[in-house]
């Protein structure tokens, strides 16, 4: 198992049945309805859930109330410079043959024709995103940005019908807390790393970035005297996980110590399922403790418990154009997608969506 490298942490603000005894079984069926299928010749993007373990067939990996799910986004795009070069050459060729300048609409038609010719030959790019549901309390998305995490959440929300989550928030001013770490020392269990970003309080103020630097040095501290605050800082937690935390409480660049990962070294790597189980239990155990430690530092806002719900047992077999936003390139009049036993046709020309 690949240990998480990033954490966008969300509170599950309402119990939707993810702690129920049959939660993993229900979630498995729901995610299967939105399983990944690769891009066709004219598709520019496809996004869906994939089995958690490569070569396996389960969309949910569950251990002691914690669950891991995975999604794959596949994109295809013609490089704009290459398209522009080919279009320019084609326009010149046609203008020379017809002895007149082409109108804008004619050039657009040539561009569409080129895209139809080129798209089937574009190599797709795959990007996997993992999500961790921690005992129905937190959803942690291994994504480098909130945009990527929200894309994952949107797909999960479509599968579940509802996903009441909100990014963790602090009851304290995050940047002031991190600034105090430089002034007075890191909180218990943490040590300062060697990189940080400081910014003036005023909008559009100067920014100071440090890398491979002693963050307690006078060179750094003088920027605090100039009324800068920490907006990003590298930290280490108990010599087990190193990471960078930002003012929005997102975490990037996570590295689990080799000593920690070696705890499961005695498990035969040929026992893929057994090793995955052990690594998953180790990883979620550590990030759960890390989140608790960060909660102690920042005093996360606690949402009032809402009504208890349950996961749906079936997925409505419907779809709409918003659910596959970006899949229909401008060069096509329509595309047809089959998923979950349904056929979905979307037409640019008629601006109609037909589901059967």
């Amino acid at each position: 198992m690949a240990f998480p490298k990033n954490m966008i942490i969300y509170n599950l603000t309402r119990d939707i049945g993810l702690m129920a005894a049959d939660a993993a079984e229900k979630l498995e069926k729901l995610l299967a309805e939105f399983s990944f299928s690769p891009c066709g010749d004219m598709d520019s993007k496809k996004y869906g859930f994939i089995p958690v373990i490569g070569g396996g067939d389960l969309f949910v990996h569950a251990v002691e109330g914690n669950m891991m799910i995975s999604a794959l986004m596949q994109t295809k795009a013609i490089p704009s410079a290459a398209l522009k070069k080919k279009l320019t050459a084609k326009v010149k060729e046609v203008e020379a043959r017809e002895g007149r300048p082409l109108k804008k609409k004619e050039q657009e038609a040539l561009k569409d024709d080129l895209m139809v010719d080129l798209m089937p030959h574009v190599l797709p790019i795959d990007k996997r995103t993992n999500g961790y549901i921690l005992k129905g309390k937190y959803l942690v998305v291994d994504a480098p940005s909130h945009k990527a995490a929200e894309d994952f959440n949107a797909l999960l929300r479509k599968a579940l019908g509802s996903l009441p989550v909100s990014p963790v928030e602090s009851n304290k001013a995050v940047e002031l807390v991190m600034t105090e770490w430089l002034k007075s020392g890191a909180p218990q269990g943490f040590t300062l790393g060697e990189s940080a970003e400081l910014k003036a309080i005023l909008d559009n103020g100067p920014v100071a970035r440090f890398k491979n630097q002693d963050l307690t040095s006078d060179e750094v501290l003088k920027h605090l005297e100039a009324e800068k605050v920490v907006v990003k800082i590298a930290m280490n937690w108990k010599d087990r996980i190193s990471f960078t935390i930002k003012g929005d409480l997102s975490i990037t660049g996570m590295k689990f110590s080799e000593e920690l990962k070696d705890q499961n070294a005695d498990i035969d790597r040929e026992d893929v399922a057994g090793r995955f189980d052990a690594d998953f239990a180790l990883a979620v155990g550590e990030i759960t403790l890390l989140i608790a430690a960060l909660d102690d530092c920042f005093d996360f806002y606690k949402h009032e418990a809402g009504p208890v719900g349950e996961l749906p047992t079936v997925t409505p077999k419907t779809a709409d154009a918003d659910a596959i936003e970006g899949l229909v390139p401008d060069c096509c009049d329509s595309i047809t997608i089959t998923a979950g036993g349904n056929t979905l046709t979307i037409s640019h020309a008629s601006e109609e969506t037909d589901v059967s």
Side-chain angles (χ1 to χ4, degrees):
M1 169 188 154
F3 284 71
K5 297 179 180 179
N6 312 281
M7 289 203 307
I8 307 292
I9 309 168
Y10 295 88
N11 281 305
L12 281 154
T13 59
R14 181 167 56 85
D15 184 351
I16 57 173
L18 291 170
M19 281 298 293
D22 61 349
E25 180 182 352
K26 283 186 175 181
L27 187 57
E28 179 74 30
K29 294 176 180 178
L30 292 167
L31 301 189
E33 290 292 319
F34 289 80
S35 61
F36 172 78
S37 60
C39 287
D41 284 349
M42 298 308 301
D43 294 325
S44 61
K45 181 172 73 174
K46 284 292 189 71
Y47 199 17
F49 294 104
I50 58 173
V52 174
I53 301 177
D57 56 6
L58 294 178
F59 294 96
V60 180
H61 190 84
V63 176
E64 297 180 352
N66 298 303
M67 293 182 282
M68 177 179 174
I69 58 179
S70 302
L72 186 69
M73 178 181 287
Q74 187 173 87
T75 56
K76 290 171 58 178
I78 302 170
S80 57
L83 181 60
K84 182 178 180 181
K85 182 178 180 180
K86 286 185 173 291
L87 179 60
T88 299
K90 190 66 175 177
V91 169
K92 288 181 178 179
E93 176 190 333
V94 175
E95 287 180 341
R97 184 172 66 245
E98 298 188 4
R100 65 178 182 84
L102 293 183
K103 297 178 181 178
K104 184 177 180 179
K105 287 187 176 181
E106 292 175 310
Q107 293 187 33
E108 288 295 329
L110 284 179
K111 180 180 178 180
D112 288 345
D113 290 342
L114 280 174
M115 291 187 69
V116 170
D117 291 339
L118 295 173
M119 277 294 285
H121 305 288
V122 175
L123 294 177
I125 297 174
D126 293 345
K127 184 177 180 181
R128 174 175 175 150
T129 302
N130 295 324
Y132 305 85
I133 300 170
L134 305 181
K135 296 190 181 298
K137 182 178 181 181
Y138 293 110
L139 169 63
V140 176
V141 183
D142 183 357
S145 68
H146 279 278
K147 172 62 170 63
E150 287 300 331
D151 286 343
F152 180 87
N153 289 353
L155 180 65
L156 183 57
R157 186 173 290 111
K158 290 181 185 301
L160 303 185
S162 173
L163 185 65
V165 297
S166 66
V168 290
E169 299 175 278
S170 172
N171 285 312
K172 302 177 181 179
V174 174
E175 294 174 351
L176 294 183
V177 172
M178 296 192 298
T179 302
E180 190 62 30
W181 293 350
L182 290 191
K183 292 179 178 180
S184 305
Q188 184 177 1
F190 293 88
T191 54
L192 299 176
E194 295 184 333
S195 64
E197 183 175 312
L198 283 67
K199 185 179 182 300
I201 296 175
L202 298 175
D203 290 339
N204 301 317
V207 176
R209 296 182 177 88
F210 299 93
K211 189 175 182 180
N212 300 322
Q213 174 78 44
D214 178 2
L215 298 183
T216 62
S217 66
D218 291 340
E219 182 180 354
V220 176
L221 296 180
K222 70 180 182 181
H223 287 277
L224 301 183
E225 296 172 1
E227 297 188 340
K228 290 187 178 71
V229 295
V230 177
V231 296
K232 181 167 64 174
I233 188 169
M235 300 293 290
N236 185 294
W237 178 66
K238 294 186 175 182
D239 292 327
R240 300 170 77 82
I241 305 176
S242 59
F243 59 92
T244 296
I245 186 168
K246 303 177 184 178
D248 60 3
L249 294 175
S250 63
I251 291 175
T252 59
M254 292 178 66
K255 292 183 179 179
F256 290 71
S257 70
E258 291 302 319
E259 291 79 8
L260 185 66
K261 291 190 288 188
D262 284 346
Q263 289 184 20
N264 295 328
D266 59 330
I267 301 176
D268 192 339
R269 288 192 174 275
E270 292 186 4
D271 181 6
V272 177
R275 181 61 183 262
F276 195 98
D277 263 350
D279 284 349
F280 173 69
L282 179 62
V284 297
E286 293 298 314
I287 62 177
T288 298
L289 292 173
L290 175 57
I291 291 172
L294 292 172
D295 188 1
D296 289 340
C297 294
F298 295 106
D299 185 19
F300 292 161
Y301 175 76
K302 306 301 188 296
H303 294 266
E304 293 185 9
V308 176
E310 61 179 30
L311 292 172
T313 54
V314 293
T315 301
K317 294 183 178 299
T318 59
D320 54 41
D322 291 338
I324 56 169
E325 180 180 359
L327 297 185
V328 187
D330 293 337
C331 60
C332 298
D333 290 334
S334 66
I335 63 170
T336 298
I337 296 175
T338 300
N342 300 303
T343 299
L344 169 67
T345 301
I346 295 179
S347 170
H348 275 311
S350 64
E351 297 185 351
E352 292 181 350
T353 302
D354 177 61
V355 181
S356 58

PDB file of all heavy atoms in Angstrom, residues 220-232:
ATOM      1  N   VAL A 220      15.426  34.282  10.306  1.00  0.00           N
ATOM      2  CA  VAL A 220      13.993  34.020  10.198  1.00  0.00           C
ATOM      3  C   VAL A 220      13.212  34.892  11.171  1.00  0.00           C
ATOM      4  O   VAL A 220      12.201  35.509  10.819  1.00  0.00           O
ATOM      5  CB  VAL A 220      13.698  32.526  10.468  1.00  0.00           C
ATOM      6  CG1 VAL A 220      12.189  32.282  10.451  1.00  0.00           C
ATOM      7  CG2 VAL A 220      14.392  31.653   9.436  1.00  0.00           C
ATOM      8  N   LEU A 221      13.687  34.967  12.400  1.00  0.00           N
ATOM      9  CA  LEU A 221      12.946  35.673  13.448  1.00  0.00           C
ATOM     10  C   LEU A 221      12.821  37.167  13.176  1.00  0.00           C
ATOM     11  O   LEU A 221      11.846  37.799  13.609  1.00  0.00           O
ATOM     12  CB  LEU A 221      13.621  35.441  14.798  1.00  0.00           C
ATOM     13  CG  LEU A 221      13.634  33.979  15.285  1.00  0.00           C
ATOM     14  CD1 LEU A 221      14.326  33.871  16.632  1.00  0.00           C
ATOM     15  CD2 LEU A 221      12.217  33.422  15.372  1.00  0.00           C
ATOM     16  N   LYS A 222      13.748  37.726  12.441  1.00  0.00           N
ATOM     17  CA  LYS A 222      13.644  39.164  12.157  1.00  0.00           C
ATOM     18  C   LYS A 222      12.432  39.474  11.285  1.00  0.00           C
ATOM     19  O   LYS A 222      11.890  40.585  11.331  1.00  0.00           O
ATOM     20  CB  LYS A 222      14.919  39.674  11.498  1.00  0.00           C
ATOM     21  CG  LYS A 222      15.143  39.198  10.071  1.00  0.00           C
ATOM     22  CD  LYS A 222      16.438  39.761   9.483  1.00  0.00           C
ATOM     23  CE  LYS A 222      16.635  39.324   8.031  1.00  0.00           C
ATOM     24  NZ  LYS A 222      17.907  39.851   7.462  1.00  0.00           N
ATOM     25  N   HIS A 223      11.982  38.475  10.511  1.00  0.00           N
ATOM     26  CA  HIS A 223      10.780  38.686   9.702  1.00  0.00           C
ATOM     27  C   HIS A 223       9.538  38.717  10.581  1.00  0.00           C
ATOM     28  O   HIS A 223       8.547  39.375  10.241  1.00  0.00           O
ATOM     29  CB  HIS A 223      10.657  37.590   8.644  1.00  0.00           C
ATOM     30  CG  HIS A 223      11.648  37.721   7.525  1.00  0.00           C
ATOM     31  ND1 HIS A 223      11.442  38.552   6.445  1.00  0.00           N
ATOM     32  CD2 HIS A 223      12.859  37.138   7.337  1.00  0.00           C
ATOM     33  CE1 HIS A 223      12.476  38.453   5.619  1.00  0.00           C
ATOM     34  NE2 HIS A 223      13.345  37.609   6.132  1.00  0.00           N
ATOM     35  N   LEU A 224       9.571  38.011  11.703  1.00  0.00           N
ATOM     36  CA  LEU A 224       8.454  38.091  12.645  1.00  0.00           C
ATOM     37  C   LEU A 224       8.399  39.483  13.275  1.00  0.00           C
ATOM     38  O   LEU A 224       7.312  40.024  13.506  1.00  0.00           O
ATOM     39  CB  LEU A 224       8.593  37.027  13.730  1.00  0.00           C
ATOM     40  CG  LEU A 224       8.633  35.562  13.265  1.00  0.00           C
ATOM     41  CD1 LEU A 224       8.702  34.640  14.473  1.00  0.00           C
ATOM     42  CD2 LEU A 224       7.424  35.215  12.406  1.00  0.00           C
ATOM     43  N   GLU A 225       9.576  40.048  13.524  1.00  0.00           N
ATOM     44  CA  GLU A 225       9.625  41.401  14.074  1.00  0.00           C
ATOM     45  C   GLU A 225       9.096  42.421  13.077  1.00  0.00           C
ATOM     46  O   GLU A 225       8.617  43.493  13.463  1.00  0.00           O
ATOM     47  CB  GLU A 225      11.061  41.746  14.465  1.00  0.00           C
ATOM     48  CG  GLU A 225      11.613  40.863  15.575  1.00  0.00           C
ATOM     49  CD  GLU A 225      13.093  41.093  15.827  1.00  0.00           C
ATOM     50  OE1 GLU A 225      13.667  41.958  15.125  1.00  0.00           O
ATOM     51  OE2 GLU A 225      13.668  40.430  16.698  1.00  0.00           O
ATOM     52  N   ALA A 226       9.170  42.063  11.785  1.00  0.00           N
ATOM     53  CA  ALA A 226       8.652  42.949  10.728  1.00  0.00           C
ATOM     54  C   ALA A 226       7.176  42.678  10.462  1.00  0.00           C
ATOM     55  O   ALA A 226       6.649  43.042   9.413  1.00  0.00           O
ATOM     56  CB  ALA A 226       9.459  42.772   9.452  1.00  0.00           C
ATOM     57  N   GLU A 227       6.517  42.027  11.421  1.00  0.00           N
ATOM     58  CA  GLU A 227       5.076  41.777  11.386  1.00  0.00           C
ATOM     59  C   GLU A 227       4.637  40.844  10.252  1.00  0.00           C
ATOM     60  O   GLU A 227       3.579  41.024   9.656  1.00  0.00           O
ATOM     61  CB  GLU A 227       4.293  43.093  11.321  1.00  0.00           C
ATOM     62  CG  GLU A 227       4.505  43.979  12.548  1.00  0.00           C
ATOM     63  CD  GLU A 227       3.587  45.177  12.560  1.00  0.00           C
ATOM     64  OE1 GLU A 227       3.063  45.534  11.490  1.00  0.00           O
ATOM     65  OE2 GLU A 227       3.388  45.745  13.643  1.00  0.00           O
ATOM     66  N   LYS A 228       5.458  39.862   9.986  1.00  0.00           N
ATOM     67  CA  LYS A 228       5.053  38.782   9.092  1.00  0.00           C
ATOM     68  C   LYS A 228       4.507  37.627   9.936  1.00  0.00           C
ATOM     69  O   LYS A 228       4.863  37.465  11.103  1.00  0.00           O
ATOM     70  CB  LYS A 228       6.215  38.296   8.229  1.00  0.00           C
ATOM     71  CG  LYS A 228       6.683  39.266   7.148  1.00  0.00           C
ATOM     72  CD  LYS A 228       7.717  38.591   6.264  1.00  0.00           C
ATOM     73  CE  LYS A 228       8.176  39.497   5.126  1.00  0.00           C
ATOM     74  NZ  LYS A 228       9.028  40.606   5.624  1.00  0.00           N
ATOM     75  N   VAL A 229       3.639  36.834   9.312  1.00  0.00           N
ATOM     76  CA  VAL A 229       3.084  35.661   9.978  1.00  0.00           C
ATOM     77  C   VAL A 229       3.386  34.425   9.141  1.00  0.00           C
ATOM     78  O   VAL A 229       3.593  34.505   7.926  1.00  0.00           O
ATOM     79  CB  VAL A 229       1.561  35.786  10.200  1.00  0.00           C
ATOM     80  CG1 VAL A 229       1.260  36.916  11.169  1.00  0.00           C
ATOM     81  CG2 VAL A 229       0.826  35.978   8.872  1.00  0.00           C
ATOM     82  N   VAL A 230       3.384  33.284   9.791  1.00  0.00           N
ATOM     83  CA  VAL A 230       3.652  32.018   9.107  1.00  0.00           C
ATOM     84  C   VAL A 230       2.388  31.558   8.377  1.00  0.00           C
ATOM     85  O   VAL A 230       1.323  31.445   8.984  1.00  0.00           O
ATOM     86  CB  VAL A 230       4.098  30.941  10.112  1.00  0.00           C
ATOM     87  CG1 VAL A 230       4.303  29.603   9.400  1.00  0.00           C
ATOM     88  CG2 VAL A 230       5.382  31.366  10.820  1.00  0.00           C
ATOM     89  N   VAL A 231       2.514  31.279   7.087  1.00  0.00           N
ATOM     90  CA  VAL A 231       1.381  30.770   6.314  1.00  0.00           C
ATOM     91  C   VAL A 231       1.599  29.321   5.874  1.00  0.00           C
ATOM     92  O   VAL A 231       0.674  28.660   5.416  1.00  0.00           O
ATOM     93  CB  VAL A 231       1.107  31.662   5.083  1.00  0.00           C
ATOM     94  CG1 VAL A 231       0.680  33.055   5.515  1.00  0.00           C
ATOM     95  CG2 VAL A 231       2.326  31.745   4.164  1.00  0.00           C
ATOM     96  N   LYS A 232       2.838  28.855   6.031  1.00  0.00           N
ATOM     97  CA  LYS A 232       3.155  27.467   5.678  1.00  0.00           C
ATOM     98  C   LYS A 232       4.434  27.079   6.410  1.00  0.00           C
ATOM     99  O   LYS A 232       5.385  27.862   6.441  1.00  0.00           O
ATOM    100  CB  LYS A 232       3.333  27.327   4.162  1.00  0.00           C
ATOM    101  CG  LYS A 232       3.630  25.922   3.686  1.00  0.00           C
ATOM    102  CD  LYS A 232       3.486  25.798   2.173  1.00  0.00           C
ATOM    103  CE  LYS A 232       4.475  26.624   1.401  1.00  0.00           C
ATOM    104  NZ  LYS A 232       4.406  26.370  -0.056  1.00  0.00           N
TER     105      LYS A 232
END
